[in-house]
Structures are given as C-alpha cells and as structure tokens.
Amino acid sequence: MIYSDRLLGCGAALLACCIALPAQAADFRTGDLIVAQPWSRPTPPVATVGAVYFSLTNTGPTPQRLTAISSPVARQVEIHETRRVQGMIQMRAVTFVDCPPGGTVRSEPGGLHVMLVGLNRPLTPGMQYPLSLTFQDGGVLNVMVTVSAQ
C-alpha cells in the first residue's frame, strides 16, 4: 500500500507541475518574416524596466530592416545590444536591426534585446502583452509576448 500511495503522490505532483507550466510563446508571421517565441522575464513589483527576447527570421530573398518597436506596457521601447568593450559589459541603443535574406537574428539575454522603459505595471508570470515591430518598408508585425522565467 505504501508503494501505491507513493505513486499517487508522484502522479499528483506531476499533474501539479504540468498545470503550473506557463503558456509557451507562439510564432507570428507576416509575408517573409517570422517572429518566434517572443518572451519576457517577470519583473520585481517596483521595476520600471523590462526586456523582450525573440528570434526574427527572414525567409524571403530581400533584406529586411527592423526600425522601431512599440508596446502599450511601456512609455518607451528601445532595441539594445550588449557588447564587451575593454573588459566591460556595455549596453547601447541601436537604431535598427538588419535581417538578411534567409537569415535569423536572435534577441537573447546578454546580446541583442528589446528594452521596455517606463513600465506601466510589473511583468508577472503568465501575463501576455502586445508588441508591434515596424520595418523599413512600412510593414508592421504585431505579436503577443508571454512573460515566463524560461
């Protein structure tokens, strides 16, 4: 009987873990562009900044340039890159991101990323919010970002 109680306990624990898993971010497409798995980490209650990560794939024959990003969850949204300069880590805003034909650009912790400046509220686990990516040709790709510890 002890063995079967342990199995029941393990089954209940496994079920609880599955229920607690956050929703996975989706992929979004317009024309030749795919934004895969946009996500943010949760922020502390008093945080005024957050970050967004995703990959941008250009499946077409023409280069694409991401020129602006916006979201209603922040006063300002900036594209940043992280670099090591003379042994120091520096983060700086960039005005655009090029995505070559057939290429993928990854936005990830410690590299290229999107900064949400002046958050309207904390980013909490499971929360989803809109993000609009604007390209040089005038195209806009609207995505939903999922907040997850990843």
Side-chain angles (χ1 to χ4, degrees), residues 27-100:
D27 293 349
F28 300 86
R29 182 180 195 123
T30 185
D32 294 330
L33 296 171
I34 301 168
V35 169
Q37 308 279 316
W39 67 281
S40 287
R41 286 190 174 120
T43 59
V46 295
T48 59
V49 296
V52 182
Y53 310 103
F54 55 85
S55 66
L56 173 64
T57 301
N58 179 0
T59 62
T62 307
Q64 298 287 335
R65 178 172 281 183
L66 175 62
T67 57
I69 302 179
S70 63
S71 177
V73 300
R75 179 179 29 79
Q76 186 174 347
V77 181
E78 301 173 351
I79 306 167
H80 282 201
E81 67 178 354
T82 304
R83 290 186 171 189
R84 183 177 294 275
V85 178
Q86 298 178 352
M88 300 283 293
I89 301 287
Q90 295 181 349
M91 185 173 57
R92 68 177 182 97
V94 296
T95 55
F96 61 85
V97 174
D98 285 327
C99 192

Side-chain angles (χ1 to χ4, degrees), residues 101-125:
T104 297
V105 176
R106 286 181 175 66
S107 165
E108 55 195 4
L112 185 69
H113 59 281
V114 175
M115 289 297 300
L116 303 169
V117 181
L119 287 172
N120 299 330
R121 64 182 187 156
L123 304 178
T124 56

Side-chain angles (χ1 to χ4, degrees), residues 23-28 34-41 51-55 107 127-131 133 142-148 150:
Q24 290 296 315
D27 293 349
F28 300 86
I34 301 168
V35 169
Q37 308 279 316
W39 67 281
S40 287
R41 286 190 174 120
V52 182
Y53 310 103
F54 55 85
S55 66
S107 165
M127 174 182 169
Q128 291 190 317
Y129 62 89
L131 190 73
L133 290 77
N142 295 307
V143 305
M144 289 300 289
V145 179
T146 299
V147 179
S148 168
Q150 294 231 353

